[in-house]
Amino acid sequence: MMDSLKLELNRARIQQTILAKVSSHPSARSGDIQTISQLITKSVAEGLEIERVGVWLFNDSKNELVNVDTYIRSAGIHSSGAILKENEFREEFHYLVNEKFVDANDPYTDPRTKGFIDSYLIPNGITAMLDGVIRMGEELIGTLCFEHVNKKHMWLEDEIIFCSQLGDQISLTISNQRKNKINDELIARENELKELNESLERLVEERTKKLKLANDELEMTITSLKKAQNQLVLSEKLASLGQLVAGIAHEINNPIAAIQSSTENLKEFLFESELSIFQKELKELLPDLTLQKRFLELIQILRTRIEIISGRDRMNRRKRLEVWLQTNGIPDTFAYHLIDAGFDLDVLESFRDLLCGERLERILTLLVEEITVYQSLHIMLLAVERASKMTFALKNFARFEISKNPIQVNLKENIETVLTLYQNQFKKNVKLVKEFGDVPFIEGYPEELLHLWTNLIYNALQAMSFQGKLIIQMKLEGDTVFVSVEDSGPGIPLEIQNRIFEPFFTTKPLGEGSGLGLDISRKIVERHLGSIQFVSKPGKTIFTIGLPVRITN
């Protein structure tokens, strides 16, 4: 018993040493897959006394496995270049695609590896094979192979986990390789763009000199006529462009409104109405009002716990849930549905009074179905909101004016309208502080001011990752009303502070920001003859808007 424990501890120490060496190796960060593969295969083979260790990667079409490196321990040599094709090993490829690992203690009888007998197992003398499938998210990358030769071996759980961990390191290296390639291409494109800009600047400079010489020779009347003509053409183009964009935005808004209305109706029909399918099923399943209340409490908790987990955390959560399900007489395959719905063992134990009895499986099924539909509706509403904001921004960017003449605007009500739209965010982890002094109505364009506060407030919420403190102040100084929006986020980096008002400049991830919000905000302030300023440091960013009470004579 002690010898077995010593072997296990020694194996764990070796595994951790190899993982530390691999994860800290420069080739993992640089994306050098050949070097990291050779490091893994040799370290594992010599450290754990495995005769053959190989890294195999799928080609782009996922129909071939190409050997990146195999280390043969007894010979002390590396080899590479071998290819396994799907059309020759179709059934074996099927297992690699659909399973997380293949632990073949006897690969000659195991249905997952028997196709390799004549072409691979016998020629290499392989007697035990462990294939850890390498994935990057949902993408299938390849496999890491541990192969014993001429001796029997039963693969242990810690060996399977260790193989999976090394597979994650290979996946990370490939991810870094792709990122580095993209960065190199971006740098090359930036250099090309820089050269083109320099060339264009020279060309513009030369053309400008020629035009200046030509213009100096023209008579004053001809010069004035040309300027008037150019201005007229430009105005006509801008007017046509504005009408076109406004028309497109209007046409897009119609289906957006229909989708939003239908989604809200569907949400009410499914969950909120007394006659909804969900309410009927709930009352039929749980006639007791106390249990209904507990069910709805659990629903609210799960709605806040919808998240994507992967890797080892998902495996650990699945194992705990499977034990719980088996204990309660429910198939353990149900664990995947529970994980996607936000369940973990703590939630199940907290609602033990609800999650018990012969109706347990029906209760869990109804919970999973409700959360799945709720998540889909939530995604639809989020997409509608993003599309609506983009069409509004596009319309304002191309054709800025909405109203012809300013009207009297109640700034408090104007801002409160926006806060109402985001009240759901404040109920969670955002502390909202409003310090509104007595201020008069101002002359302005209410629709544009709504868009101004929407940009500033939503930017503040995003900067804080929707948790922190948001302070909105309003006060009158002389003939100007000052409104400030302060957040407790990480602040705006000093190196980009002079660019945040540039059109299309954004620090948000792809798909989350257009780079037009602050540019449009600045234009709205300028149209009101006001000012916009900001100060920022870690933990505090304040945007201050100054709006005159009157903008007309």
Side-chain angles (χ1 to χ4, degrees):
M1 183 67 178
M2 291 298 295
D3 291 341
S4 175
L5 181 59
K6 286 182 180 180
L7 288 173
E8 184 177 348
L9 291 175
N10 184 58
R11 188 169 64 250
R13 179 184 58 79
I14 294 172
Q15 290 173 353
Q16 292 303 314
T17 300
I18 293 173
L19 282 172
K21 183 193 300 184
V22 171
S23 63
S24 61
H25 199 271
S27 61
R29 294 187 297 274
S30 67
D32 185 351
I33 189 62
Q34 188 68 45
T35 300
I36 202 71
S37 297
Q38 291 180 350
L39 174 64
I40 289 174
T41 56
K42 184 176 181 180
S43 299
V44 173
E46 294 182 347
L48 299 180
E49 298 182 357
I50 299 175
E51 175 61 16
R52 295 170 58 88
V53 180
V55 175
W56 298 73
L57 298 181
F58 279 101
N59 62 358
D60 292 338
S61 302
K62 309 302 182 186
N63 58 6
E64 290 183 354
L65 268 174
V66 180
N67 181 233
V68 178
D69 183 75
T70 294
Y71 184 75
I72 304 174
R73 177 170 166 264
S74 60
I77 60 173
H78 293 273
S79 65
S80 62
I83 297 176
L84 299 177
K85 297 184 177 181
E86 182 185 16
N87 58 7
E88 297 175 3
F89 305 99
R90 192 171 303 278
E91 186 173 352
E92 288 70 23
F93 270 53
H94 173 76
Y95 287 112
L96 292 178
V97 170
N98 291 280
E99 297 191 11
K100 295 182 178 180
F101 58 86
V102 174
D103 53 340
N105 298 319
D106 185 356
Y108 294 89
T109 60
D110 196 307
R112 298 172 295 180
T113 55
K114 63 181 182 180
F116 296 128
I117 292 176
D118 294 330
S119 61
Y120 187 75
L121 298 179
I122 292 177
N124 294 300
I126 296 170
T127 52
M129 175 185 289
L130 171 61
D131 286 343
V133 178
I134 305 170
R135 296 182 185 276
M136 186 185 301
E138 296 299 324
E139 181 185 357
L140 184 64
I141 299 297
T143 179
L144 175 62
C145 267
F146 294 177
E147 300 166 346
H148 282 290
V149 174
N150 296 329
K151 73 173 184 178
K152 296 182 178 180
H153 185 79
M154 299 290 292
W155 297 106
L156 303 174
E157 182 179 3
D158 67 282
E159 294 176 306
I160 295 173
I161 294 175
F162 175 61
C163 184
S164 175
Q165 291 171 331
L166 286 175
D168 290 341
Q169 291 297 321
I170 295 172
S171 175
L172 179 61
T173 301
I174 293 174
S175 176
N176 290 334
Q177 181 188 61
R178 294 178 180 179
K179 290 178 182 178
N180 293 338
K181 183 178 179 181
I182 292 173
N183 288 334
D184 291 342
E185 292 178 354
L186 286 175
I187 292 173
R189 299 293 83 76
E190 287 177 357
N191 290 334
E192 291 179 5
L193 182 59
K194 183 179 179 181
E195 293 177 0
L196 288 173
N197 285 337
E198 291 175 352
S199 176
L200 181 61
E201 287 175 0
R202 289 193 298 270
L203 181 61
V204 170
E205 184 178 357
E206 293 175 0
R207 186 67 55 85
T208 302
K209 290 180 180 179
K210 293 179 180 180
L211 288 175
K212 188 177 183 301
L213 292 174
N215 287 337
D216 290 342
E217 298 174 358
L218 295 176
E219 297 180 3
M220 185 62 69
T221 54
I222 297 177
T223 302
S224 299
L225 181 60
K226 275 194 170 184
K227 288 181 179 180
Q229 185 180 14
N230 290 336
Q231 186 64 39
L232 180 60
V233 171
L234 179 60
S235 298
E236 289 295 328
K237 286 183 178 180
L238 290 176
S240 299
L241 178 61
Q243 292 175 357
L244 176 62
V245 172
I248 293 173
H250 176 73
E251 291 300 323
I252 294 176
N253 277 331
N254 286 337
I256 287 176
I259 294 171
Q260 184 175 23
S261 176
S262 298
T263 304
E264 294 289 355
N265 290 339
L266 184 60
K267 182 179 178 183
E268 180 179 359
F269 176 73
L270 290 175
F271 307 117
E272 298 171 0
S273 171
E274 288 296 325
L275 300 177
S276 69
I277 298 174
F278 168 69
Q279 292 291 343
K280 289 180 180 178
E281 291 185 5
L282 177 59
K283 292 176 181 178
E284 178 185 347
L285 182 61
L286 299 172
D288 184 85
L289 293 177
T290 301
L291 291 180
Q292 289 181 20
K293 183 178 180 181
R294 289 288 286 165
F295 187 96
L296 295 175
E297 289 176 2
L298 178 53
I299 285 290
Q300 292 303 319
I301 291 175
L302 293 177
R303 285 180 176 179
T304 64
R305 290 171 59 87
I306 296 174
E307 57 183 345
I308 298 175
I309 59 173
S310 58
R312 192 168 185 177
D313 290 340
R314 188 177 180 90
M315 181 185 296
N316 292 335
R317 184 180 293 189
R318 176 177 58 79
K319 289 181 178 179
R320 291 194 294 268
L321 291 176
E322 286 177 348
V323 172
W324 189 90
L325 289 168
Q326 291 171 355
T327 303
N328 288 274
I330 299 176
D332 55 14
T333 55
F334 207 79
Y336 293 103
H337 300 298
L338 295 183
I339 292 175
D340 293 336
F343 279 93
D344 59 18
L345 193 58
D346 293 338
V347 172
L348 294 171
E349 293 295 336
S350 298
F351 287 83
R352 189 178 298 175
D353 58 327
L354 174 66
L355 304 176
C356 62
E358 60 183 12
R359 295 171 298 184
L360 175 57
E361 185 169 358
R362 290 181 61 196
I363 293 173
L364 289 176
T365 300
L366 183 57
L367 282 166
V368 170
E369 290 175 351
E370 198 277 344
I371 289 300
T372 301
V373 175
Y374 173 83
Q375 186 178 21
S376 299
L377 292 174
H378 179 71
I379 292 172
M380 291 170 65
L381 289 173
L382 182 61
V384 166
E385 181 183 357
R386 285 186 179 178
S388 180
K389 286 182 179 179
M390 181 53 69
T391 56
F392 187 88
L394 185 61
K395 182 170 64 176
N396 280 275
F397 186 73
R399 190 180 69 183
F400 189 71
E401 293 188 6
I402 298 176
S403 304
K404 290 185 178 180
N405 299 311
I407 62 174
Q408 291 293 308
V409 180
N410 184 335
L411 278 183
K412 291 182 181 179
E413 291 184 359
N414 200 255
I415 295 175
E416 287 289 359
T417 299
V418 177
L419 293 177
T420 300
L421 295 175
Y422 291 107
Q423 62 181 343
N424 187 51
Q425 303 294 341
F426 304 133
K427 291 179 180 178
K428 297 177 183 178
N429 300 313
V430 176
K431 180 180 179 181
L432 174 63
V433 178
K434 296 184 291 185
E435 299 176 359
F436 292 172
D438 292 330
V439 299
F441 284 25
I442 70 166
E443 292 182 349
Y445 307 90
E447 298 89 353
E448 296 176 18
L449 290 174
L450 280 173
H451 193 51
L452 170 64
W453 311 131
T454 298
N455 281 338
L456 295 179
I457 291 172
Y458 192 72
N459 281 354
L461 291 172
Q462 282 189 314
M464 297 188 297
S465 298
F466 297 92
Q467 55 182 7
K469 188 174 183 180
L470 179 67
I471 303 174
I472 302 177
Q473 295 179 317
M474 184 187 307
K475 61 183 178 180
L476 176 66
E477 292 185 5
D479 294 330
T480 303
V481 176
F482 289 93
V483 179
S484 64
V485 178
E486 176 183 340
D487 68 73
S488 59
I492 303 172
L494 183 62
E495 61 270 18
I496 68 168
Q497 288 188 8
N498 63 337
R499 298 193 61 194
I500 65 170
F501 291 109
E502 289 183 14
F504 304 107
F505 176 76
T506 178
T507 59
K508 298 174 184 176
L510 183 64
E512 291 190 13
S514 63
L516 298 176
L518 286 177
D519 175 60
I520 291 175
S521 297
R522 177 178 56 81
K523 289 181 178 179
I524 292 173
V525 173
E526 289 176 352
R527 191 177 185 214
H528 287 78
L529 305 182
S531 61
I532 179 170
Q533 299 175 336
F534 73 93
V535 291
S536 183
K537 63 180 181 180
K540 178 187 288 188
T541 297
I542 306 175
F543 277 83
T544 302
I545 310 298
L547 299 172
V549 175
R550 297 179 59 85
I551 61 176
T552 58
N553 295 324

